[in-house]
Amino acid sequence: MAETDPDELERRIARTRAELARTVDAIADRVSPKRVAERTVADVKDRAGHFVASVGDALGVTPRPVEYGDDAQQVWDEERPDLGAVLIGVGAVLVVGAAIVLWRRRRRRV
């Protein structure tokens, strides 16, 4: 049988309104530009950390913590990375990218 007690109905309505208000607040917080920016920054930092670690692995360099006061010249004394191959690769990617951009611009003009 259905509840017809007006006080019970008012309590249910108040409870439903409170739940709805919490849900709307949670949705508004999730889609707010500030929260989206915070999540994006955290994601970029995480991806950058993984990228740096993978580049270090590819170069055979394991990162070690640097203490404040360590001499900057002695940080790589134990294992200095060979960055020549990495720099050549980055340069090649930039040249190919620039060539593609120029090629596309010329195709649009014709």
Side-chain angles (χ1 to χ4, degrees):
M1 190 181 239
E3 291 285 332
T4 56
D5 181 27
D7 293 333
E8 177 63 25
L9 288 175
E10 285 181 20
R11 284 191 293 274
R12 284 185 179 179
I13 291 170
R15 209 172 321 134
T16 303
R17 282 183 182 158
E19 290 172 7
L20 182 60
R22 282 191 299 272
T23 303
V24 168
D25 288 343
I27 291 171
D29 185 56
R30 185 168 177 86
V31 299
S32 75
K34 181 180 178 182
R35 296 289 184 228
V36 171
E38 288 172 353
R39 284 193 306 270
T40 303
V41 167
D43 185 47
V44 168
K45 284 183 180 179
D46 185 49
R47 289 175 189 234
H50 288 301
F51 175 73
V52 168
S54 66
V55 168
D57 289 344
L59 293 174
V61 177
T62 55
R64 71 174 182 87
V66 177
E67 297 294 326
Y68 179 80
D70 279 355
D71 185 13
Q73 298 299 324
Q74 295 176 353
V75 170
W76 291 107
D77 277 352
E78 295 173 12
E79 49 182 304
R80 185 173 295 274
D82 179 24
L83 296 179
V86 173
L87 293 175
I88 290 171
V90 169
V93 168
L94 290 174
V95 167
V96 169
I100 290 172
V101 168
L102 291 173
W103 179 66
R104 285 185 177 177
R105 284 186 181 174
R106 285 187 182 174
R107 279 188 45 192
R108 287 186 191 162
R109 290 186 206 165
V110 175

